[in-house]
Amino acid sequence: MTHPGEITRRQMLRRLGMTAFVAGPGAGLLSACATGGTGGEPSAAPSITASASSKNPFGVDPKKPLEVVIFGGGYGDAYAKDVHEALYKKEFPGVTVKHDATQQIGTQLRPRFVSGDVPDVLNNSGPESMDLAALAAEGHLADLSVLFDAPSIDDPAKKVRDTVTPAVIDNAKIDGKDLVLNYTVSHRALWYNAKLFASKGWTLPKTWAEFTALGDKAKQEGILLFAYPGLKGPYYQLWNVLYTAAKIGGNQVIIDIDNLVDNAWNAEPMKQAVAAWVDIQAKYGDKAYFGLDHTQTQIKQLQNKLLFYPVGSWIENEMAKDKPDDFEYAIAPLPDVTSADKMPYGAIQVGVGENFVVAAKGKNPQGGLEYLRIMLSKEGARGFTEKTENLTVVNGAADGLDLPAGLRSAAKAQDAAGQNIITDARFEGWYKELFDYGTQQINVVMAGRVTPEKFCADMQKKADQIKKDDAVAKQTRSQ
């Protein structure tokens, strides 16, 4: 019998996406081994060895190998190999660092977490990112409070937590513990080609009427107003709808969704946001894009076949090798959807992202903590920006760098937004089952197969199921 709050092994494996292994040919193997600890053990800080010092605060064994797995997406993995791992090797000469980069985080890592053979550092990102709340519930994530309280490499008189943007600490928590490092600052909005707009004499639309009027102009020239990748990347549009709802009704719309508040998905701003974008898709979109992945869609934009693309500031680096000279990435705030939007024109989403975790049950968790501390040094963060043309959460690390046009545009938009910053949706990491469901359903509603009201009702039904599921640890936020 399972009592309220208990998590059975089958429930946990379901949340980790491993039920196929349990039900299938591997059932015998899994019945013979646990997930590196048979469930329910709270995540804890790795033990600090007796050799700890001010320079080596976690007591890293300088000869112990370290394994790092990186999501090989928009940021690539050169920043890890050439910067962070190189700095780690410099700190511990002769140490072996095993490096792996993959876009199939879940496919490759789930079996390893089940067997207990885990990497020390994991960059958990991309469409196959793992359910961090589920991993935390199994005790797989090292407590990072010791990292945040450790002396900064740049100024040992300061703690690491005092050298990063406060959003890092706010977003680190699962069940009240600091378990996740969000490393990048991203700007998610509508991205466009500034050179195309300049050549056409077009200005950015500030109202929805101006937005659709521009869509009519673009259509006459064979250009789509808007598109998103329906095959790999529909969550870009889910983000876009959520941020639009916050633009209409304020950040409380997203906060209520994150907190599983009753009928949060059925709130009027959410319905208005979905309806507005469904209308745009119907009038100015192309259903062929539902069959394209993110790279194919982004190539279409580089060919000026679509104007606005809902994505984050990593896009510039991701497409750097394909970007023609007549294309210049720039950020466009969401137009006013109604005349009574709670957030003014110019509000944009600025958040922290790109998750990194240390495996509590890895072979070298102390080394994993030190690797993250190196990442959070100015040298480590500056190197990341130079390699990826994206900003990190480390204060002042990019000072003096010659930033690319898109990043300059994002920084300018952030300055113009002031306090009008759209919050990030945290249920993506808290309740991955809900986020994955939304990622599927956004295609359904955007294709016109269900109404916006039905989409919101279905999302609410899913949220209600998760709220009632005692096996799912509940999280809360106040802002």
Side-chain angles (χ1 to χ4, degrees), residues 158-180:
K158 289 184 178 180
K159 293 181 179 180
V160 169
R161 68 172 65 246
D162 298 324
T163 67
V164 297
T165 181
V168 172
I169 310 302
D170 292 340
N171 286 269
K173 296 185 181 344
I174 298 176
D175 289 335
K177 289 188 175 182
D178 297 329
L179 302 179
V180 184

Side-chain angles (χ1 to χ4, degrees), residues 393-469:
V393 297
V394 179
N395 297 329
D399 290 351
L401 288 181
D402 183 17
L403 301 176
L407 209 52
R408 292 197 304 271
S409 169
K412 184 178 179 180
Q414 182 176 336
D415 289 343
Q419 298 301 306
N420 298 304
I421 300 298
I422 299 172
T423 190
D424 56 330
R426 298 183 193 175
F427 77 93
E428 176 180 355
W430 288 353
Y431 311 115
K432 192 169 187 299
E433 187 176 343
L434 178 60
F435 185 79
D436 288 347
Y437 181 74
T439 297
Q440 298 165 1
Q441 293 305 305
I442 197 67
N443 273 347
V444 176
V445 69
M446 291 295 291
R449 296 199 294 273
V450 299
T451 65
E453 290 78 13
K454 181 70 164 55
F455 168 84
C456 291
D458 288 345
M459 290 301 298
Q460 187 58 51
K461 183 178 179 180
K462 188 69 174 180
D464 291 342
Q465 291 173 356
I466 290 172
K467 186 174 183 177
K468 294 174 183 176
D469 188 348

Side-chain angles (χ1 to χ4, degrees), residues 176-407:
K177 289 188 175 182
D178 297 329
L179 302 179
V180 184
L181 169 63
N182 289 277
Y183 190 58
T184 62
V185 175
S186 64
H187 302 75
R188 296 176 186 168
L190 301 175
W191 287 78
Y192 71 103
N193 180 3
K195 288 186 176 180
L196 174 65
F197 271 61
S199 68
K200 299 289 186 182
W202 292 341
T203 57
L204 289 180
K206 294 184 177 182
T207 68
W208 212 253
E210 292 176 358
F211 190 49
T212 56
L214 180 59
D216 291 331
K217 290 181 182 178
K219 184 185 287 189
Q220 292 175 359
E221 300 196 28
I223 304 174
L224 297 179
L225 175 64
F226 165 85
Y228 73 93
L231 182 60
K232 287 186 179 180
Y235 53 90
Y236 288 178
Q237 178 59 7
L238 181 58
W239 287 336
N240 190 38
V241 165
L242 288 163
Y243 303 149
T244 303
K247 171 78 171 62
I248 298 169
N251 280 328
Q252 194 64 43
V253 176
I254 292 178
I255 293 171
D256 286 348
I257 285 174
D258 286 345
N259 288 339
L260 300 177
V261 171
D262 291 346
N263 278 318
W265 283 95
N266 286 320
E268 194 59 32
M270 193 69 212
K271 291 179 180 178
Q272 289 176 309
V274 178
W277 283 108
V278 168
D279 184 63
I280 291 296
Q281 174 66 38
K283 292 179 179 177
Y284 305 104
D286 182 346
K287 289 186 178 180
Y289 282 75
F290 291 128
L292 301 184
D293 63 24
H294 62 293
T295 301
Q296 292 167 324
T297 305
Q298 288 156 197
I299 289 291
K300 295 282 189 183
Q301 188 182 33
L302 292 180
Q303 296 169 343
N304 289 326
K305 293 182 178 179
L306 64 104
L307 291 186
F308 293 108
Y309 182 63
V311 71
S313 43
W314 58 83
I315 181 71
E316 191 165 25
N317 180 67
E318 189 169 23
M319 304 306 292
K321 294 180 180 179
D322 299 298
K323 185 173 69 66
D325 292 338
D326 64 350
F327 196 101
E328 181 181 295
Y329 279 111
I331 196 171
L334 287 165
D336 292 339
V337 183
T338 76
S339 59
D341 285 6
K342 282 196 174 180
M343 301 188 80
Y345 174 77
I348 62 170
Q349 196 278 341
V350 181
V352 294
E354 204 64 18
N355 299 160
F356 285 80
V357 296
V358 173
K361 301 175 184 181
K363 298 179 180 66
N364 189 5
Q366 294 82 12
L369 291 172
E370 182 62 19
Y371 183 88
L372 296 194
R373 193 170 78 108
I374 288 171
M375 287 175 58
L376 293 172
S377 68
K378 285 189 176 180
E379 185 176 5
R382 186 184 182 91
F384 177 91
T385 298
E386 289 174 332
K387 289 288 185 182
T388 68
E389 298 187 341
N390 282 269
L391 300 177
T392 74
V393 297
V394 179
N395 297 329
D399 290 351
L401 288 181
D402 183 17
L403 301 176
L407 209 52

